[in-house]
Amino acid sequence: MESREAHFSFGGTQQVWRHRSASLGVDADFAIYLPPQAQDKKVPVLYWLSGLTCTEQNFITKAGAQRVAAELGIAIVAPDTSPRGADVADRDTYDLGQGAGFYVNATQEPWAAHYRMYDYIVTELPALIEAHFPVTQVRGISGHSMGGFGAIMIALRNAGRYRSVSAFSPIVAPTQVPWGEKAFSAYLGPDRSAWAAYDPIALIRTVKERLPILIDQGLADSFLTEQLRPELLQAAAQEAAHELILNLRPGYDHSYYFIASFIEDHLRHFARFC
Amino acid sequence: MESREAHFSFGGTQQVWRHRSASLGVDADFAIYLPPQAQDKKVPVLYWLSGLTCTEQNFITKAGAQRVAAELGIAIVAPDTSPRGADVADRDTYDLGQGAGFYVNATQEPWAAHYRMYDYIVTELPALIEAHFPVTQVRGISGHSMGGFGAIMIALRNAGRYRSVSAFSPIVAPTQVPWGEKAFSAYLGPDRSAWAAYDPIALIRTVKERLPILIDQGLADSFLTEQLRPELLQAAAQEAAHELILNLRPGYDHSYYFIASFIEDHLRHFARFC
């Protein structure tokens, strides 16, 4: 592992590392915030999955999460959103290819070689983090937009692995909206039966673990009605008697200004289950 | 004025505007955060001057200041750091020209036509803000690095105009360090007697108003010993019996991670004098 950045931040340190990822088959960058408490003991860790076009940088520079993480004594890991590099398949668009990994294991060409973000996030990255940093195995997962989808989908599929799950402005129904249909068609192929394993709406009907899902959604979000559609997950959760806290926030948009305004609630949500 | 951005943020709104600046002779962008209290009454306003390479964006996306501004009920105005545009003189370097206005009125060619940031910050921008937004004439000024220099220099030169002044990692002695010497030589010419009007070290010896100066400085700042040298202002302040609170922060660097960690203190400093 190669250290790329290290900055003091609220008494802890914001770090960025590069490592060779076996899942992705390329070098990958991730960020980790270690709170001051990590100098003396192991701390719980929240995984943050970012949205389309993001790298590990967006969350750590814009969300203002370090202040509350330092207070609560939790680490935050923010990975990149896809494999990257000259050898990695890409498209000249923001919603497919590099920066748009959608947290799935691609089965289709030309994506299958490197686009294995599901394995990376669920297995490889936590193993690396828990081996190299002063963190416990108490994990939470959260994210924004595409990453909010990733957080909910991964938590639903991995009972016992996370103490909490939450999301900002998530794509809750990827099989029913343009962003998801485009990505799943490319990464998973045209057979929609292969999509169900990554579909929160399908998953919430079958999962055994009833982890409450916290969602914040801005009502001035320009993607709300076409791409995000939280009401679809709300209906499925209700049918399945799965606890979903859906906070609709008048006036707020899809930006990091929204995330920064409510990230404290999501960190405290995780801390309650630590 | 043309609205460029508007985002809900901590119950208030983060806005970015473009206007034709008479001082600069070009269109200029500035950001303004209006706290929730501004919906009902006029609020005090803190001017934030950014550092080299910055635009109005850096502070508003990275400092995390909106949370405390919303709590305290203060507006924050963050202008750009220089005139910009194809007709504006520039150099292919980060520390002179566009992005590096140094908050002076340039007297030398090719800079004199547009580089009038001193007039812009001291006179034109506050007049515009106070005419168009729900703010009082209670003003504070703060900034980072080049902007920390700008804040201190402008406060020292304009008795009665600001209730408070503070800075992160300021260039306190521009006539004695490479960044300042390069900029002042270009903008003000080789005659060093013309530099004194913009030199905090010279100004603090002569000013009548004894506004306390709050400075936070990271001790892991890579520019500390060559470019910033806070001890020079500390010595001059002591000689002049001018109150200077210099917080030296072990481990912190020159980045916005440092600013974000302590911006709350600077907003509360201003609020105490509102």
Side-chain angles (χ1 to χ4, degrees):
Chain A
M1 283 211 299
E2 175 200 348
S3 168
R4 305 283 292 173
E5 293 182 46
H7 310 276
F8 263 51
S9 169
F10 288 96
T13 55
Q14 181 61 61
Q15 306 176 11
V16 177
W17 294 84
R18 176 165 295 176
H19 73 116
R20 183 72 189 180
S21 164
S23 313
L24 305 177
V26 289
D27 286 352
D29 292 347
F30 67 86
I32 181 167
Y33 177 72
L34 290 174
Q37 295 85 344
Q39 290 159 23
D40 302 320
K41 58 169 187 170
K42 292 187 175 191
V43 296
V45 55
L46 179 71
Y47 289 84
W48 173 269
L49 306 185
S50 292
L52 290 166
T53 77
C54 289
T55 68
E56 83 291 344
Q57 289 290 320
N58 303 65
F59 181 78
I60 64 175
T61 58
K62 295 183 171 180
Q66 293 93 348
R67 180 183 63 87
V68 184
E71 179 199 325
L72 299 174
I74 62 181
I76 307 180
V77 171
D80 203 346
T81 54
S82 78
R84 292 185 194 267
D87 298 337
V88 174
D90 199 10
R91 290 286 179 276
D92 191 19
T93 174
Y94 77 98
D95 56 1
L96 192 65
Q98 296 187 31
F102 266 85
Y103 306 104
V104 302
N105 288 335
T107 55
Q108 307 295 299
E109 295 311 324
W111 312 103
H114 297 290
Y115 285 77
R116 302 189 63 81
M117 288 298 290
Y118 182 83
D119 283 355
Y120 180 68
I121 299 297
V122 174
T123 309
E124 182 181 4
L125 185 60
L128 183 86
I129 296 295
E130 288 159 23
H132 290 276
F133 298 94
V135 300
T136 66
Q137 292 188 324
V138 173
R139 308 177 197 97
I141 192 162
S142 186
H144 175 231
S145 197
M146 173 182 76
F149 150 68
I152 294 169
M153 176 270 289
I154 285 172
L156 289 172
R157 282 182 59 156
N158 293 275
R161 197 156 178 80
Y162 302 95
R163 295 282 184 93
S164 78
V165 58
S166 74
F168 287 85
S169 331
I171 302 167
V172 301
T175 69
Q176 302 178 55
V177 303
W179 276 341
E181 290 179 314
K182 181 175 181 178
F184 282 15
S185 297
Y187 299 144
L188 306 175
D191 177 5
R192 284 177 170 251
S193 68
W195 298 9
Y198 295 109
D199 179 9
I201 305 292
L203 290 167
I204 207 166
R205 294 184 175 130
T206 59
V207 291
K208 292 288 179 290
E209 188 189 49
R210 294 266 173 258
L211 214 55
I213 301 171
L214 168 65
I215 294 179
D216 271 85
Q217 173 63 57
L219 291 180
D221 186 324
S222 56
F223 302 112
L224 177 57
T225 54
E226 189 186 7
Q227 305 281 9
L228 306 178
R229 306 183 64 184
E231 72 281 3
L232 296 177
L233 187 64
Q234 192 177 36
Q238 203 157 11
E239 235 174 77
H242 194 124
E243 187 182 355
L244 173 69
I245 305 142
L246 175 58
N247 297 314
L248 301 173
R249 305 291 188 182
Y252 286 90
D253 63 19
H254 200 67
S255 71
Y256 263 88
Y257 293 107
F258 173 48
I259 298 170
S261 297
F262 295 100
I263 189 69
E264 178 165 355
D265 296 350
H266 288 237
L267 298 181
R268 293 193 186 281
H269 177 73
F270 172 47
R272 274 195 294 277
F273 296 96
C274 286
Chain B
M1 283 211 299
E2 175 200 347
S3 168
R4 305 283 292 173
E5 293 182 45
H7 311 275
F8 263 50
S9 170
F10 289 95
T13 55
Q14 181 60 62
Q15 306 176 11
V16 177
W17 295 83
R18 176 165 294 176
H19 72 117
R20 184 73 188 180
S21 164
S23 313
L24 305 177
V26 289
D27 286 350
D29 292 347
F30 67 86
I32 181 167
Y33 177 72
L34 290 174
Q37 295 85 345
Q39 289 159 23
D40 302 319
K41 59 168 186 171
K42 292 187 175 190
V43 296
V45 56
L46 179 71
Y47 289 84
W48 173 269
L49 306 184
S50 293
L52 290 166
T53 78
C54 289
T55 68
E56 84 290 345
Q57 289 290 322
N58 303 66
F59 181 78
I60 65 175
T61 57
K62 295 183 172 180
Q66 293 93 349
R67 179 182 64 86
V68 185
E71 179 199 324
L72 299 174
I74 62 180
I76 307 180
V77 171
D80 202 346
T81 54
S82 77
R84 292 186 194 265
D87 298 337
V88 174
D90 199 9
R91 290 286 179 274
D92 191 18
T93 174
Y94 77 98
D95 57 0
L96 192 65
Q98 296 186 31
F102 265 85
Y103 306 104
V104 302
N105 289 334
T107 55
Q108 307 295 300
E109 295 312 323
W111 311 104
H114 297 290
Y115 284 77
R116 302 189 63 81
M117 287 298 290
Y118 181 84
D119 283 354
Y120 180 68
I121 299 297
V122 174
T123 309
E124 182 181 4
L125 185 60
L128 183 84
I129 296 296
E130 288 159 22
H132 290 276
F133 298 94
V135 300
T136 66
Q137 292 188 323
V138 173
R139 308 177 197 96
I141 192 163
S142 186
H144 174 231
S145 196
M146 174 182 77
F149 150 68
I152 295 168
M153 175 271 289
I154 285 172
L156 289 172
R157 282 182 59 156
N158 293 276
R161 196 155 180 81
Y162 302 95
R163 296 281 184 94
S164 78
V165 58
S166 73
F168 287 85
S169 331
I171 302 167
V172 301
T175 69
Q176 302 179 55
V177 304
W179 276 341
E181 291 179 313
K182 181 176 181 178
F184 283 16
S185 297
Y187 300 143
L188 306 175
D191 177 6
R192 284 177 170 250
S193 68
W195 298 9
Y198 296 109
D199 178 10
I201 306 291
L203 290 167
I204 207 166
R205 294 184 175 130
T206 59
V207 289
K208 292 287 179 289
E209 188 189 48
R210 293 265 172 261
L211 214 54
I213 302 171
L214 168 64
I215 294 178
D216 272 84
Q217 173 63 56
L219 291 180
D221 185 325
S222 56
F223 302 112
L224 177 56
T225 54
E226 189 187 6
Q227 305 281 10
L228 306 178
R229 307 183 63 184
E231 71 281 2
L232 295 177
L233 187 64
Q234 193 177 36
Q238 204 157 9
E239 235 175 78
H242 194 124
E243 188 182 355
L244 172 69
I245 306 141
L246 176 58
N247 297 315
L248 300 173
R249 305 292 188 181
Y252 286 90
D253 64 20
H254 200 66
S255 72
Y256 263 88
Y257 293 107
F258 173 48
I259 298 171
S261 297
F262 296 100
I263 190 69
E264 178 165 354
D265 296 349
H266 288 237
L267 298 181
R268 293 193 186 282
H269 177 74
F270 172 47
R272 274 196 294 277
F273 296 96
C274 286

